[in-house]
Amino acid sequence: MNSSKIQIAAIQMVSTPVPQENLETAARLIKAATDAGAQVAVLPEYFCLMGLKDTDKIQAQEKAGVGPIQEALSSLAKEHAIYLFAGTIPLQASENNKVLNTTLVFGPTGEQIGRYDKIHLFGFETSTERYAEAETIEAGRQPGVIDFSIDGERWRFGLSICYDLRFPELYRSIGPVDCHIIPAAFTYTTGKDHWEILLRARAIENQCYVLASAQGGQHLNQRRTWGDSMLIDPWGTVLAHLPEGEGFISGILSKDKLNEVRSKLPALKHRKL
C-alpha cells in the first residue's frame, strides 16, 4: 500500500459485565482485523464493561496510566504493531462517585500517545427507557485530536465519543482532520432514526472520513445497542458497515480522496463564521 493510504478497522462488540471476557473478545477481534491488514484499529465505547447497573463502571475504574485494562491495551497495540484507539474505559475522576469516560490511543510500541475524555453526557427518558450518564460520569472539557505518521505520511484524527456526535460545534472546534474516530454505544431507539444520518453529516460537513465503532446487540443488562459500525468517506458515501453482532469492518483512508473532495468543493475554505 502506498504511503498516501492506510487501512483502518472498526471493531464491533456486544460487551458483557465481565471485563476479562470483553478483553478476550477485543483481543480476538483485533487479531482478526490486523491479520486482514489493518494498521489502525478502533474499539467501541464501553468495550471493557457493559455493567448490570450504571455504578459498575465506578468499581472498575483505573487511575490514568495504571491498571489491568490499560496494560492489556498497551500489550495488544505492541503485539500487533498497530495504532489502537481503545474505545472508552472508566478512569478516575475528581469526584469519588463518578468516572471519566475516556478514549486512550496506543502506538505500535505500546505507549499511550493520546487521550480524550467524553465531553457531552447522554440523557434520554421515555416511559420504558432512561439514561443519565451525568449521574456516574464526569464531563471532559478539552476537545481531542491526535497526529501520527505511518510510512512517513502524517495522519490527523479527531476524537469524539457517541453522544458527542449530536454537537457539530465540537467537530468545528477540532478543525480539519483526515478522519473522525467515534466509538459509540448508541441505543437501539435513537440509533435506528439518527445514527447513519448524523455520521454522514459529520463526514460531509467536515470533508473527512468518519469511522464509528459501535456496540451492537442485546446486552445482559437488558440494554439493546444499535450497532452498525461504519466507515464513511469525505463525500458521505458509506464504504463499509456491520449491522449487528460482534465482528469488524475495515477500509482504506486515502489522502487523494480527501484532496479530491476538498478541491472540487472547497467548503472548508468558504467558511465565514
Side-chain angles (χ1 to χ4, degrees):
M1 191 176 299
N2 68 47
S3 63
S4 66
K5 295 181 179 181
I6 56 172
Q7 186 169 333
I8 191 166
I11 287 160
Q12 185 161 290
M13 294 175 60
V14 187
S15 293
T16 76
V18 183
Q20 188 56 39
E21 285 181 4
N22 298 321
L23 285 169
E24 289 168 6
T25 299
R28 175 168 46 80
L29 293 171
I30 288 168
K31 182 181 188 305
T34 55
D35 285 351
Q39 298 157 282
V40 178
V42 182
L43 291 166
E45 185 181 29
Y46 299 133
F47 85 92
C48 60
L49 177 72
M50 190 66 84
L52 294 174
K53 52 187 187 298
D54 286 346
T55 52
D56 286 356
K57 64 176 86 72
I58 297 167
Q59 311 308 317
Q61 69 180 285
E62 295 183 355
K63 292 182 179 178
V66 181
I69 298 170
Q70 292 169 85
E71 288 167 12
L73 293 166
S74 170
S75 295
L76 284 166
K78 186 175 182 179
E79 176 187 350
H80 298 290
I82 57 166
Y83 289 92
L84 177 60
F85 290 76
T88 70
I89 71 169
L91 290 186
Q92 189 176 60
S94 62
E95 300 175 64
N96 290 334
N97 62 337
K98 294 184 180 182
V99 296
L100 292 161
N101 192 23
T102 300
T103 295
L104 297 177
V105 187
F106 295 87
T109 60
E111 78 281 19
Q112 184 199 311
I113 58 171
R115 171 177 173 170
Y116 166 67
D117 301 329
K118 186 177 184 179
I119 291 175
H120 299 99
L121 303 182
F122 183 53
F124 180 78
E125 188 164 2
T126 68
S127 59
T128 56
E129 285 182 277
R130 181 180 183 273
Y131 302 99
E133 286 189 327
E135 292 177 358
T136 53
I137 296 174
E138 184 179 301
R141 297 180 177 86
Q142 201 64 32
V145 67
I146 185 169
D147 297 82
F148 50 78
S149 293
I150 296 179
D151 297 329
E153 184 80 57
R154 199 78 176 157
W155 296 87
R156 187 169 179 85
F157 296 87
L159 302 175
S160 58
I161 299 167
C162 200
Y163 191 50
D164 284 332
L165 183 58
R166 294 182 181 273
F167 299 88
E169 64 274 18
L170 173 64
Y171 298 84
R172 280 294 192 235
S173 75
I174 290 171
V177 297
D178 298 306
C179 181
H180 277 294
I181 301 291
I182 309 175
F186 248 61
T187 67
Y188 185 90
T189 307
T190 58
K192 64 184 171 59
D193 293 330
H194 297 158
W195 172 249
E196 181 179 334
I197 197 168
L198 286 170
L199 288 171
R200 294 180 71 192
R202 297 297 86 83
I204 293 164
E205 71 199 8
N206 294 293
Q207 298 191 313
C208 67
Y209 290 92
V210 166
L211 185 76
S213 178
Q215 294 279 352
Q218 187 74 42
H219 302 267
L220 290 175
N221 62 7
Q222 302 310 306
R223 179 173 177 177
R224 187 178 179 189
T225 46
W226 174 244
D228 215 17
S229 293
M230 195 172 285
L231 176 62
I232 301 164
D233 80 4
W235 196 246
T237 303
V238 177
L239 301 179
H241 75 111
L242 177 61
E244 208 170 9
E246 70 173 44
F248 72 93
I249 58 165
S250 67
I252 303 298
L253 306 190
S254 165
K255 292 281 191 180
D256 291 342
K257 182 65 176 182
L258 286 159
N259 293 335
E260 174 205 325
V261 169
R262 292 172 182 180
S263 61
K264 71 182 179 184
L265 178 63
L268 296 177
K269 292 181 180 177
H270 291 158
R271 289 179 59 208
K272 300 295 186 186
L273 300 176

